[in-house]
Amino acid sequence: MRSDNAKSGMQQAPARSLFRALGLTEEELSKPLVGVVSSFNEIVPGHMHLDKLTEAVKQGVAMAGGTPIVFPAIAVCDGIAMGHVGMKYSLVTRDLIADSTECMALAHQFDALVMIPNCDKNVPGLLMAAARLNIPTVFVSGGPMLAGHVKGKKRSLSSMFEAVGAHAAGTMTEEEVEDFANNVCPTCGSCSGMYTANSMNCLTEVLGMGLQGNGTIPAVYSERIRLAKHAGMAVMDMLKKDIRPRDIMTEAAFMNALTMDMALGCSTNSMLHLPAIAHEAGVEINIDIANEISEKTPNLCHLAPAGPTYMEDLNEAGGIYAVMKEISKLGLLNLDCMTVTGKTVGENIANAVNRDPEVIRTIDNPYSKTGGLAVLKGNIAPDGCVVKRSAVALEMLKNTGVAKVFDSEEEAIEAIKGGRIQAGDVVVIRYEGPKGGPGMREMLNPTSAIVGMGLGSSVALITDGRFSGASRGAAIGHVSPEAAAGGPIGLIEDGDIIEIDINAYKINLKVSDEELAARRAKWTPKTKEVSGYLKRYAGLVTSADKGAILRGN
């Protein structure tokens, strides 16, 4: 056992004295030591209940013959951090989580790990750590929140942000906004639509790193406690069979994840996280492949914010395995990939049943014949940018508009709520990328304000920042290269004409090459004064099309 390095032999007698200070018995020390990485905290609704799941995991590990030992991982609530300087500290935690988990796991020589994440950067950060460490690991997330109810309709966090925009437009009273605030987020768990947290928890299941139901069983269901116990048991089985994360997270598994990303209509942030996780597993993903996969993968799910269904509905309809079973009929999945169950993908999904062909459309009746995400390229984004095509109004899939340019999210929100954005405009927000932000803030506030003010089907938004999975509309993010790195998004001026053709994967500024060259000759990218971790991060981070990984990793 790896843990023998820390607990066995005369040389490790001092370490044994410290293990005994923990209250561990000889019987416990004779068993494999299993690190239980708990993201429990009291600031994130998706994590406030993880102490219960942590105890369940510990029981599962102990029942299967291991000794569970808990250590923490941090997590930021993107909704609480949204719209102020706090959002600069969201994406950057992904690498802090991966690094600190690596440090804890190797310093204490754990034999195996169970990861208990739930929210946006917490899930990919721990997946990156799992790939990097390559010791037997199982994931069990905290699960999604139940949908809220306002005036008899199911609602979620995206409804809340859009209500703020409606108030700014004068179509909703303050009392009505507070009604939303009191009711859209009714339980613990990750926000109830196919936002980033749920996207990544579902894709963890697709990758084979989580058990069935990991992505969809609601946080408040006792079924999730049972799932956590089984996760603890499963990791002990993996340890016996020596099944490791890199046996599971292969190139074929990542292709499966990208395919299911398209079928499910996941958050655009998945196109930031999957390449970063793959990189840690020794697999390189070029985001250009997304369009090739999208062209042959139908979009079968329209969960909020793209449609009226929620994670609880997907769970009742059969969950991720049912969607995988449907997509497998087209021969688009590699069914031989190994998973944490010790079985292949094909064996896992063999008995899956689609119980609601409206929540999970059949391959003969998809929401669209192409996938939920698209990567666009052109003279604004030579290295690409990403849009959640499944959440774009049909009339905005091909669009020409007038640029209104802002050098920060705050400037854009002020203009939107001040009524300075009109139908036919293209809002451009720059210097919000990984390096320029720094931290690549999500733009849920401006996108929700646009939708809430009734402009969702007539105004596009382009940024070198990124969007929450709760964003909908023609919200195009991850523009690469970013403005701070000299990207041409920094050359756009008010009044320029921008052409967007999502189905053709194109985005272009209707300005001549000569004019762009002249602008570049007299332009210097703006810089921001930052300190502490953000300063170090800005100096190390790569572009969004590379997954915003850190140089040297």
Side-chain angles (χ1 to χ4, degrees), residues 80 132 143 161-162 172-173 242 265 328 356 409 423:
I80 294 174
R132 190 185 299 176
F161 280 87
E162 290 170 16
M172 188 175 285
T173 67
D242 195 29
S328 71
D356 190 334
E409 177 188 8

Side-chain angles (χ1 to χ4, degrees), residues 205 216 313-324 353 355 360:
E205 194 174 328
T216 61
D313 301 311
L314 179 58
N315 187 62
E316 294 301 317
I320 300 306
Y321 278 15
V323 187
M324 294 178 76
V353 176
R355 302 189 191 97
I360 303 172

Side-chain angles (χ1 to χ4, degrees), residues 434-448:
K435 176 183 177 69
M440 202 180 183
R441 287 193 287 182
E442 288 185 341
M443 302 291 157
L444 181 55
N445 274 326
T447 57
S448 299

Side-chain angles (χ1 to χ4, degrees), residues 63-399:
M63 282 190 287
T67 298
I69 302 176
V70 178
F71 66 89
I74 63 169
V76 164
C77 179
D78 279 21
I80 294 174
M82 195 76 66
H84 54 85
V85 68
M87 181 46 73
K88 293 177 183 288
Y89 287 90
S90 173
L91 177 61
V92 303
T93 65
R94 188 184 71 180
D95 296 276
L96 281 175
I97 291 163
D99 292 349
S100 59
T101 302
E102 174 193 356
C103 291
M104 288 293 288
L106 293 183
H108 302 102
Q109 291 292 285
F110 287 106
D111 296 299
L113 299 168
V114 180
M115 308 288 202
I116 313 176
N118 211 29
C119 287
D120 298 34
K121 314 311 159 311
N122 182 245
V123 181
L126 289 177
L127 282 167
M128 289 166 67
R132 190 185 299 176
L133 289 162
N134 201 34
I135 59 178
T137 303
V138 173
F139 277 68
V140 55
S141 77
M145 184 183 290
L146 293 179
H149 291 81
V150 180
K151 296 181 179 178
K153 291 185 177 180
K154 283 187 177 182
R155 300 288 188 177
S156 61
L157 185 64
S158 53
S159 308
M160 184 71 254
F161 280 87
E162 290 170 16
V164 174
H167 179 264
T171 59
M172 188 175 285
T173 67
E174 185 174 344
E175 290 75 18
E176 288 173 318
V177 173
E178 283 306 305
D179 188 23
F180 273 74
N182 286 328
N183 293 292
V184 297
C185 295
T187 70
C188 60
S190 49
C191 297
S192 56
M194 188 57 84
Y195 308 152
T196 305
N198 290 326
S199 293
M200 294 311 302
N201 283 326
C202 290
L203 294 178
T204 299
E205 194 174 328
V206 176
L207 278 171
M209 290 298 294
L211 300 175
Q212 182 178 9
N214 179 71
T216 61
I217 297 171
V220 295
Y221 284 13
S222 296
E223 185 182 357
R224 186 156 287 275
I225 295 175
R226 299 196 297 271
L227 182 74
K229 291 176 182 176
H230 283 129
M233 297 177 202
V235 83
M236 294 305 297
D237 187 55
M238 289 179 70
L239 185 58
K240 290 174 188 173
K241 296 176 180 176
D242 195 29
I243 300 173
R244 298 168 182 255
R246 292 194 188 185
D247 300 325
I248 295 168
M249 290 193 280
T250 61
E251 183 176 358
F254 282 103
M255 293 304 104
N256 282 351
L258 286 169
T259 298
M260 289 300 298
D261 197 339
M262 299 299 171
L264 290 163
C266 291
S267 164
T268 52
N269 281 315
S270 61
M271 296 303 296
L272 197 67
H273 299 319
L274 285 175
I277 299 161
H279 180 75
E280 295 288 355
V283 175
E284 296 305 317
I285 293 179
N286 187 322
I287 64 168
D288 290 347
I289 200 171
N291 292 339
E292 179 185 334
I293 292 173
S294 181
E295 282 296 323
K296 57 188 179 184
T297 307
N299 177 224
L300 303 184
C301 299
H302 259 197
L303 283 80
T309 54
Y310 294 81
M311 296 304 296
E312 62 201 66
D313 301 311
L314 179 58
N315 187 62
E316 294 301 317
I320 300 306
Y321 278 15
V323 187
M324 294 178 76
K325 180 73 171 290
E326 196 67 38
I327 287 295
S328 71
K329 296 174 184 177
L330 295 171
L332 298 179
L333 296 178
N334 186 317
L335 302 181
D336 295 326
C337 292
M338 179 52 62
T339 72
V340 294
T341 66
K343 299 178 181 179
T344 65
V345 168
E347 291 172 312
N348 285 345
I349 69 173
N351 297 319
V353 176
N354 181 356
R355 302 189 191 97
D356 190 334
E358 195 54 38
V359 175
I360 303 172
R361 291 279 186 93
T362 64
I363 57 172
D364 298 321
N365 182 37
Y367 282 101
S368 65
K369 293 182 179 180
T370 52
L373 299 181
V375 174
L376 316 183
K377 285 193 173 183
N379 63 0
I380 291 176
D383 294 335
C385 54
V386 183
V387 63
K388 188 171 183 174
R389 174 165 47 185
S390 60
V392 178
L394 290 176
E395 57 268 37
M396 291 296 287
L397 290 172
K398 189 172 184 179
N399 175 52

